[in-house]
Amino acid sequence: MNRKRATTGSIDRITLALPAWLRTGTGGNARLFLLAVGILFVLFWWRVVLGQQYLVGGDVLYDVLPWAAGGSGRQASNGLVGDTVFQMLPWQELVRDAFLHGHLPVWDQFSYAGTPLLANYQSAAFSIFTWIALPLTAPYGLSVAMLVKLWVAGVGMALFVRGMGARTLSASVAGVAYAGCSYMTVWLGWPNSSVAALAPWTFALAEQYITGGRVRSLVGFALAIALELLAGHPETCAHMSLALAIYLIVRCAALRRRGLRVLLSLVLSGLLGAMVAAVQVIPFLAWLQHVHGVVNRSALGSQYLQPQTLTSWLVPNGRGNPGIDHNTLAGLPPNYNESTGFVGVGALILAVIGVFVPGNAGRARVLGLTAIVLVGAGTVYGPLTPLIGRLPVFNASANWRMISVICLAACALAGLGLDSLLQRTGSDRSRLTDLSISLGVLSLVGLAVAEIKLLSVGSQVDGLLPYGPDRYIGFWLGVAALSALAGLTFAFAGLRRGRGRVPVAGFCVLVVIEALLFAVPYNPRESPADVPPANSALTWLQQHAGGSAVTATGSVAPSESATLYRLHDVRGYQAGLVDERQIQY
């Protein structure tokens, strides 16, 4: 008896050490949670916000000629984000220059003998994120837009989860998980993440219309669809549209007689949004008639990721992370960007709770989200690939990138799972519950130490612990184990109605720490002087080439990097949207 009291007393001291807002209440807690997230955001990215660093990996150019001939000894901090310099940054400069001079960015005069700019779609001339960047220089604007995407994604997810009946705190946690998920993080400099950031808004506004039936919700839904289509990546649009269709069919089926009318209203609203986006979509469809890429991509729909890549959902950096390891380890094949799926171990555990523990959301919403996860996973990892890969558009898409829809649905389910735990709060103080919470808190401390260690030593964390099976890095296996221990112990305590809202608080901290561990290191923060870097050969060409075409300025393709120096390059972007005549040229 005395031993039990002593144990309970020690647990009381541990829980009292947590901030008061983590132990009680929900409304004010959500505001304080978001304040804490905002402070951490500024702490990690304030130099980018002020323009002292750029999130564009300009140092990738040091690996190719003519920059490599300068003897700088520099090496790309993350070669997998090279497209942001080879493509996105040059196109941003051209789009910005065109709009600032009062005309549409229709033509790229610097690539090949000239090539369509607006019609390539990924230049994203009418994307809201492109327009956010327009008042700033291209690399600074692109960096700021990348950070804005995180907030747009997080807020959109929070609104969606809140619209399903969850509390504000639960919705906020879901938003943080989604903003820090793999698809947002690894594609942050691409238009892929622009579409992914806007996708939760279409779900949120559709849910708002289903619940309230207001015309303004339909108008908002049409606008969200238009913005998503204008965001610059049709492939991700197709994947997110399939996910939205699955959700709406399941959701509206539960409405019975009213469901068909609601579904038709949303379909018509979506078509209206597509008409608004026609200024981007029509040039793209017209250009597709001339390019070789559609034929070459016709076999993509049948490809999927190997089952071993499933481990990334638990240990995303287990086989290396190019953002941490500076390209010496690039993750599971085909590469880290393509193979990694991650929302956080804590969010995954919450998602399972969201599926199986009843909450405010209702059965139809949960079934709709679960169906998205199953269809997405079946397509990404093989079982459903032959079916989905036969559909129009999907037969020429890299459908393993439907990791995006798994991330979206899993984070929404995580928010519902946390809300289910909030409904079950109680005051159970059994020894087993107290032990569970103690292990969870200690695991959080371990994860915090891991975050500090990662920030201080970088890639050297790979050598801190012995390697595990199949060359998995011991440090990251340890991080995954701590995350799993924290999530499972807090889930156990929460489901037993233990210790009030302490398990919920534990999950809040866990989701934030995992998001920071994953999202912060991946995209390089470069000096403005390196975006793009100076080069004597290119300076000479700028002074003497005039309007003449030059040979390829880089030794690897694809490359639009000559545009950064206003040089006319006989080469250009070669992945997909290229006229057969340009290839011959």
Side-chain angles (χ1 to χ4, degrees):
M1 186 71 174
N2 291 335
R3 183 178 301 172
K4 182 176 181 179
R5 287 179 178 175
T7 303
T8 302
S10 64
I11 301 302
D12 287 336
R13 287 192 291 273
I14 292 176
T15 56
L16 286 173
L18 296 172
W21 67 271
L22 290 176
R23 289 185 277 114
T24 58
T26 55
N29 293 353
R31 291 190 291 272
L32 288 171
F33 174 78
L34 291 174
L35 177 62
V37 170
I39 291 172
L40 289 171
F41 183 90
V42 172
L43 180 65
F44 284 103
W45 281 298
W46 67 272
R47 292 185 182 275
V48 178
V49 174
L50 295 180
Q52 297 178 10
Q53 293 176 334
Y54 295 156
L55 288 176
V56 181
D59 60 356
V60 71
L61 293 173
Y62 287 109
D63 289 346
V64 297
L65 294 172
W67 299 271
S72 67
R74 288 288 303 275
Q75 182 183 14
S77 54
N78 184 352
L80 283 185
V81 301
D83 281 357
T84 59
V85 175
F86 288 130
Q87 299 161 29
M88 308 311 162
L89 180 60
W91 289 337
Q92 176 73 23
E93 288 205 353
L94 293 176
V95 169
R96 180 177 184 271
D97 186 68
F99 280 131
L100 291 182
H101 285 84
H103 57 85
L104 290 175
V106 175
W107 193 250
D108 178 359
Q109 61 177 313
F110 297 102
S111 180
Y112 296 108
T115 189
L117 179 62
L118 175 64
N120 78 20
Y121 215 132
Q122 291 189 85
S123 61
F126 297 103
S127 169
I128 186 174
F129 301 106
T130 298
W131 282 71
I132 287 172
L134 287 182
L136 308 172
T137 62
Y140 184 23
L142 190 59
S143 301
V144 170
M146 289 164 70
L147 294 181
V148 172
K149 290 180 192 181
L150 298 178
W151 284 99
V152 171
V155 172
M157 176 57 69
L159 290 175
F160 176 41
V161 175
R162 187 76 177 91
M164 290 190 288
R167 295 164 177 80
T168 305
L169 180 61
S170 305
S172 301
V173 170
V176 170
Y178 187 64
C181 77
S182 60
Y183 202 79
M184 285 301 305
T185 295
V186 302
W187 299 109
L188 193 58
W190 283 261
N192 309 46
S193 60
S194 301
V195 176
L198 291 164
W201 292 80
T202 64
F203 282 78
L205 288 160
E207 185 62 47
Q208 189 179 91
Y209 175 70
I210 294 171
T211 304
R214 297 179 180 177
V215 175
R216 67 182 184 186
S217 299
L218 275 181
V219 174
F221 180 74
L223 178 60
I225 292 292
L227 291 176
E228 185 179 307
L229 288 170
L230 292 172
H233 202 253
E235 188 176 73
T236 305
C237 284
H239 294 157
M240 289 297 186
S241 296
L242 177 62
L244 180 62
I246 292 171
Y247 180 80
L248 292 180
I249 290 172
V250 175
R251 179 77 172 89
C252 291
L255 301 177
R256 299 183 181 179
R257 294 181 180 179
R258 175 173 166 260
L260 182 60
R261 178 176 60 82
V262 169
L263 183 60
L264 287 175
S265 298
L266 288 167
V267 169
L268 292 174
S269 177
L271 291 174
L272 177 62
M275 292 173 62
V276 173
V279 64
Q280 172 65 80
V281 175
I282 290 178
F284 170 68
L285 294 177
W287 179 233
L288 279 181
Q289 301 175 27
H290 302 282
V291 304
H292 80 295
V294 174
V295 176
N296 291 347
R297 291 169 64 91
S298 60
L300 275 181
S302 62
Q303 298 178 21
Y304 54 87
L305 296 180
Q306 295 302 308
Q308 69 188 57
T309 59
L310 279 164
T311 59
S312 69
W313 292 95
L314 300 176
V315 198
N317 301 330
R319 293 287 294 274
N321 180 324
I324 297 170
D325 301 301
H326 307 300
N327 306 310
T328 57
L329 295 172
L332 293 166
N335 61 60
Y336 191 91
N337 280 25
E338 302 286 4
S339 65
T340 301
F342 186 71
V343 295
V345 177
L348 280 181
I349 293 171
L350 284 173
V352 173
I353 295 174
V355 171
F356 293 105
V357 179
N360 291 330
R363 186 178 181 84
R365 294 184 178 106
V366 173
L367 284 177
L369 293 171
T370 305
I372 292 172
V373 171
L374 294 177
V375 171
T379 305
V380 172
Y381 300 104
L384 295 180
T385 306
L387 176 62
I388 301 298
R390 289 192 181 97
L391 299 176
V393 178
F394 294 89
N395 60 350
S397 297
N399 293 323
W400 58 83
R401 291 180 184 168
M402 284 182 68
I403 282 175
S404 60
V405 307
I406 304 175
C407 289
L408 185 147
C411 290
L413 286 169
L416 299 182
L418 188 66
D419 209 62
S420 296
L421 291 184
L422 275 169
Q423 286 183 307
R424 298 173 64 87
T425 55
S427 57
D428 174 45
R429 295 195 173 192
S430 67
R431 179 178 297 179
L432 192 58
T433 301
D434 286 348
L435 177 61
S436 177
I437 290 175
S438 297
L439 290 174
V441 172
L442 291 174
S443 299
L444 292 181
V445 173
L447 287 171
V449 171
E451 173 73 27
I452 294 170
K453 199 68 178 176
L454 175 63
L455 293 174
S456 61
V457 303
S459 61
Q460 296 179 33
V461 297
D462 293 351
L464 295 179
L465 294 174
Y467 276 66
D470 198 23
R471 297 298 296 169
Y472 273 78
I473 299 169
F475 176 83
W476 293 112
L477 288 174
V479 167
L482 288 173
S483 297
L485 181 60
L488 292 173
T489 53
F490 288 134
F492 175 80
L495 293 173
R496 285 176 59 93
R497 303 178 186 272
R499 286 281 168 179
R501 294 192 171 95
V502 173
V504 171
F507 270 115
C508 291
V509 176
L510 176 59
V511 168
V512 171
I513 292 179
E514 286 197 278
L516 291 175
L517 275 166
F518 182 79
V520 171
Y522 193 74
N523 290 282
R525 281 167 281 186
E526 298 295 328
S527 165
D530 290 326
V531 190
N535 181 269
S536 58
L538 295 177
T539 301
W540 188 92
L541 285 172
Q542 285 178 291
Q543 295 171 350
H544 297 86
S548 302
V550 299
T551 56
T553 56
S555 63
V556 295
S559 176
E560 299 278 341
S561 53
T563 301
L564 298 173
Y565 303 88
R566 293 302 187 263
L567 295 172
H568 297 261
D569 197 339
V570 297
R571 295 193 322 161
Y573 176 58
Q574 298 178 16
L577 297 181
V578 181
D579 193 301
E580 186 61 36
R581 294 170 297 174
Q582 291 173 320
I583 296 296
Q584 295 171 0
Y585 173 69

